[in-house]
Amino acid sequence: MCGIVGYFGKRPARDFLLEGLKRLEYRGYDSAGMAVLQNHKSKLAVTKSVGKVVNLENKLKQNFNGFLGIAHTRWATHGKPSEKNAHPHTDCGGNVAVVHNGIIENYRELKEMLKKRGHKFRSETDTEVIAHLLEEEMSVSGGKNISFEEAFVKTLKQLNGTYGVVAISSKNPDMMLAARLSSPLVLGIGLGEIFVASDVSAMVGDVKRVVYLDDKEIAIIKKDGYVVKTLSNRKQEKEEHTLEWDKAAAERGGYPHFMLKEIFEQPKSFADALRGRLLIKEGRARLGGLQAVEKRLRNINRIIIVSCGTSYHSGLVGEYMLEEYAGIPTEVEMASEFRYRKPLLDKKTAVLAISQSGETADTLAAIREAKEKGALTLGIVNVVGSTIARETDAGVYCHAGPEIAVASTKAFTSQLAILALLALYLGRQRELSFVMGERIARELNRIPEYMEKILARAKDIKKLAKKYAKQKHYMYLGRKYNFPNALEGALKIKEIAYVPAQGYPTGEMKHGPIALIDQSVMSVIIALKDSVYEKNLSGIEEILARGGKVLAVATEGDSVIAKKATDIIFIPKTLEMLSSLLAIIPLQLFAYFVAVERGCDIDKPKNLAKSVTVE
Ligand code: AGP
């Protein structure tokens, strides 16, 4: 998805804009551009480039200065990656510049109408129509001059589709306008300066106070303040959120890639997810974000989890936890499917969205559908104040800190932490005993130290990755709590090492997939000392009998599997309910090191974006 940054304040805009673009580059990119209102010239300077942001930086001329500017990294939706299709887009007169994230569905009709009125288009994008519409509105509306703000609102009202859009005009040097419809935009409120971005990570370290725009809101941004209004010109009082993250948290901290840093952050991020929420002596969890719906939660008799990608996989683990320990029938739906079903919901159904970014379009749409049908909507989200966090009735933040790498790692284990807390919370509202509750609480507290032990073996996993770096096909297998890890492990090696990999329940092999097994296939199987150990053991033997290779993730001290498997990675023993939290770490590291061996772009894998804010 595209990245948007804007700045208006006391410092040269280009510095923040470049820094912000670099922080957003992980969201996916193919080109970038910047527009700044030149000091004392009331003229817009626009520069664009294809490829990485550093190419734009190299093109910027020294005199590219000014205190008001916008910039953009593009992830092409309409028109191929090229300089002319890069944002910002300007009007015919070069007086208006806009950057946009989203899709304008009626851009063809608008473009035809504008062309008939003499506008000349330079790009193939949908976005460019916004710049020309603005120019049109400011020039002809009833013959009288209307303000930049009024022209902006009139323009927005003609757009069908989605937008996060920011506009500046050389004829209005005292303001920057922003608007949101389904594509997120956040304002950063500094001293004598205002930032705007599509993702809060662009401004981490620059501001502490942030304001999230809601759909159909516009922001009129001046050097020293802002006003938020609805499209019907009604002023909106907005809550200012405190941005806990600092710059260091958003930087790589000496690691070669954000992904490796975030894998190694998991003991800390896991502990942060639990902080203040575990009442060990009472064997229960305290989840402040659910306080307002505590009574309603006592009466729910069904949970539907809606999420995508890695968050879908954590939801699958949550399904086992919630059914086994909270005793509530639970199902997990891919959000992109849920929204097109005819889900039978009622007020005793809780629909739980799991989302790291809190902006995934499919998950947001699923939550909106659930609300329409009267279900209680809950969120497990990482980004504070994000749309899903604000639109659900209640929820629990992961507190994992910024997850910059496209491949989700610490967010996954933090989501599992919250799901375990939720199972404890709901279970203790129901049949879960104090003894079992305390046992779960105590073991949760030990997870960070178990994680450290596994991370200390990273070198051994790196060796295995080197050994299998050229492996062309993987089968990931697991049962019960570790079946979702089979899917997640396969997703990791697919998305960052581009290696074909499938995840299956081990028990499913004999129903077809085992036909694939031969010496060319590596089966990665999670076979821990748990309630399904024997079943996994026979799965390993079935594979070996057909000449397949087996890389097993096993429980420390398991000599039986050590003798059978081609290679083995040991992890500490813990409650079966919490075993996914540990078993996923070797699979994250394995995928990472294979990708490094294969020379892949780890933090910005091809074709992928960090937050999928379009359908
Ligand atoms: C996982 O590594 C991917 N980045 C992707 O599958 C991601 O989990 C999915 O797009 C959901 O994102 P969300 O958690 O921000 O909603």
Side-chain angles (χ1 to χ4, degrees):
M1 303 312 103
C2 305
I4 288 174
V5 285
Y7 177 83
F8 192 12
K10 58 194 178 191
R11 290 185 280 171
R14 60 174 282 165
D15 301 346
F16 165 73
L17 295 175
L18 269 178
E19 182 61 25
L21 287 186
K22 285 175 183 169
R23 294 222 198 107
L24 290 183
E25 212 169 7
Y26 70 84
R27 286 171 66 104
Y29 60 90
D30 51 58
S31 52
M34 186 185 294
V36 168
L37 182 61
Q38 295 290 290
N39 282 343
H40 321 308
K41 291 183 194 157
S42 67
K43 193 172 165 333
L44 286 178
V46 181
T47 296
K48 305 181 184 184
S49 68
V50 175
K52 300 200 174 203
V53 173
V54 68
N55 300 347
L56 176 70
E57 186 169 17
N58 296 336
K59 279 187 80 173
L60 287 177
K61 296 188 179 46
Q62 279 324 310
N63 68 346
F64 205 91
N65 51 28
F67 302 109
L68 169 60
I70 54 178
H72 184 272
T73 58
R74 181 168 181 255
W75 191 74
T77 51
H78 292 73
K80 63 183 181 305
S82 67
E83 271 194 34
K84 72 178 173 57
N85 285 335
H87 304 204
H89 287 291
T90 55
D91 62 335
C92 301
N95 299 310
V96 169
V98 300
V99 290
H100 164 242
N101 188 12
I103 293 176
I104 307 300
E105 290 165 357
N106 62 332
Y107 85 96
R108 288 182 184 80
E109 304 92 278
L110 292 169
K111 193 166 181 173
E112 282 318 303
M113 177 271 285
L114 289 160
K115 278 180 168 176
K116 287 193 182 100
R117 294 187 184 176
H119 289 264
K120 299 279 179 277
F121 282 80
R122 305 177 190 91
S123 80
E124 305 154 304
T125 68
D126 54 339
T127 301
E128 193 182 352
V129 298
I130 301 174
H132 292 283
L133 267 180
L134 261 169
E135 179 181 37
E136 184 69 14
E137 290 301 338
M138 282 201 277
S139 63
V140 294
S141 292
K144 66 179 177 51
N145 260 345
I146 65 169
S147 72
F148 184 32
E149 178 190 334
E150 288 166 306
F152 188 60
V153 171
K154 285 170 77 91
T155 295
L156 296 174
K157 287 182 174 174
Q158 297 174 68
L159 306 179
N160 298 334
T162 61
Y163 54 76
V165 58
V166 186
I168 58 176
S169 152
S170 57
K171 293 180 177 160
N172 297 268
D174 63 340
M175 74 171 74
M176 173 162 64
L177 299 176
R180 176 215 153 120
L181 181 60
S182 294
S183 281
L185 275 182
V186 56
L187 306 185
I189 318 304
L191 288 178
E193 53 189 9
I194 304 265
F195 304 81
V196 60
S198 45
D199 183 313
V200 73
S201 57
M203 52 182 83
V204 164
D206 289 302
V207 286
K208 280 292 179 195
R209 292 156 50 211
V210 295
V211 170
Y212 287 83
L213 287 189
D214 283 307
D215 283 351
K216 298 185 183 167
E217 286 183 344
I218 67 165
I220 300 94
I221 299 160
K222 309 251 172 132
K223 204 171 221 173
D224 50 5
Y226 67 98
V227 172
V228 174
K229 294 182 180 177
T230 63
L231 287 181
S232 38
N233 200 26
R234 199 175 55 253
K235 220 172 146 198
Q236 297 287 92
E237 288 309 316
K238 298 295 286 181
E239 182 187 356
E240 292 192 354
H241 297 270
T242 303
L243 189 51
E244 301 299 345
W245 300 343
D246 57 28
K247 213 165 209 169
E251 299 305 327
R252 272 211 299 265
Y255 285 89
H257 301 105
F258 278 110
M259 183 178 177
L260 190 62
K261 174 185 175 224
E262 288 153 11
I263 289 172
F264 275 82
E265 277 179 344
Q266 290 181 108
K268 179 186 178 308
S269 53
F270 185 88
D272 289 346
L274 298 182
R275 203 172 306 289
R277 294 168 165 169
L278 259 189
L279 304 177
I280 295 180
K281 289 196 173 41
E282 299 166 43
R284 61 188 185 83
R286 174 179 49 204
L287 297 172
L290 301 183
Q291 195 127 25
V293 295
E294 194 264 341
K295 285 195 175 39
R296 198 165 163 194
L297 283 170
R298 285 182 184 280
N299 299 316
I300 59 154
N301 59 15
R302 184 169 164 238
I303 295 173
I304 299 178
I305 297 173
V306 291
S307 44
C308 304
T310 289
S311 300
Y312 169 72
H313 299 153
S314 64
L316 289 172
V317 178
E319 179 180 14
Y320 289 101
M321 291 177 172
L322 290 163
E323 289 192 334
E324 191 159 5
Y325 293 97
I328 301 173
T330 303
E331 57 190 276
V332 190
E333 291 286 345
M334 285 180 177
S336 55
E337 284 301 303
F338 176 84
R339 58 186 301 200
Y340 296 109
R341 270 181 47 189
K342 183 177 176 295
L344 304 174
L345 311 174
D346 62 26
K347 61 181 186 333
K348 289 198 166 193
T349 306
V351 176
L352 168 62
I354 303 177
S355 175
Q356 187 288 127
S357 63
E359 301 298 349
T360 299
D362 288 323
T363 309
L364 180 57
I367 281 297
R368 288 173 173 167
E369 177 69 11
K371 280 187 108 158
E372 275 301 302
K373 296 194 183 301
L376 171 66
T377 55
L378 304 173
I380 294 178
V381 176
N382 189 38
V383 178
V384 173
S386 55
T387 307
I388 292 172
R390 284 178 291 114
E391 294 203 10
T392 42
D393 297 315
V396 186
Y397 282 121
C398 292
H399 298 323
E403 186 176 70
I404 306 297
V406 168
S408 191
T409 51
K410 64 175 183 175
F412 178 71
T413 47
S414 295
Q415 289 165 356
L416 295 185
I418 305 300
L419 285 160
L421 289 171
L422 183 62
L424 192 53
Y425 176 95
L426 295 172
R428 298 284 283 129
Q429 278 186 341
R430 293 164 172 80
E431 308 303 314
L432 187 65
S433 69
F434 159 75
V435 171
M436 193 60 215
E438 192 201 23
R439 192 151 169 247
I440 292 168
R442 285 195 185 289
E443 193 64 6
L444 271 170
N445 234 10
R446 293 194 190 99
I447 293 293
E449 75 183 76
Y450 296 154
M451 288 179 157
E452 293 289 5
K453 283 181 79 174
I454 299 167
L455 292 167
R457 295 172 189 153
K459 285 192 178 50
D460 303 335
I461 297 165
K462 184 174 179 178
K463 279 198 202 103
L464 288 172
K466 279 182 181 301
K467 178 177 177 183
Y468 294 116
K470 301 238 178 319
Q471 181 63 35
K472 288 195 171 45
H473 181 187
Y474 285 89
M475 189 79 80
Y476 282 72
L477 302 168
R479 283 176 185 264
K480 207 173 172 190
Y481 283 98
N482 282 291
F483 155 54
N485 268 349
L487 302 178
E488 177 60 11
L491 176 62
K492 285 289 142 319
I493 204 161
K494 267 186 282 212
E495 67 176 333
I496 55 164
Y498 316 137
V499 182
Q502 302 155 67
Y504 275 107
T506 314
E508 192 58 17
M509 283 297 279
K510 54 188 171 300
H511 300 288
I514 200 158
L516 289 173
I517 297 299
D518 61 26
Q519 72 286 355
S520 71
V521 177
M522 165 56 81
S523 295
V524 182
I525 181 164
I526 303 158
L528 307 178
K529 281 286 184 77
D530 56 20
S531 61
V532 286
Y533 174 73
E534 295 305 330
K535 299 285 181 202
N536 278 321
L537 203 48
S538 52
I540 289 174
E541 278 155 355
E542 283 163 20
I543 292 164
L544 293 171
R546 289 159 179 80
K549 294 181 288 227
V550 169
L551 170 56
V553 178
T555 306
E556 279 169 355
D558 184 342
S559 55
V560 172
I561 290 197
K563 287 196 195 81
K564 292 179 181 299
T566 319
D567 281 290
I568 194 161
I569 302 166
F570 287 114
I571 64 171
K573 176 121 183 86
T574 184
L575 286 178
E576 181 169 9
M577 167 197 188
L578 306 178
S579 60
S580 333
L581 280 155
L582 302 182
I584 192 57
I585 295 177
L587 304 186
Q588 294 168 341
L589 287 168
F590 184 73
Y592 170 79
F593 288 123
V594 167
V596 169
E597 284 300 310
R598 295 169 76 104
C600 300
D601 188 342
I602 306 283
D603 288 331
K604 295 174 217 112
K606 66 180 179 179
N607 305 339
L608 292 179
K610 180 62 182 172
S611 177
V612 186
T613 56
V614 291
E615 279 191 45

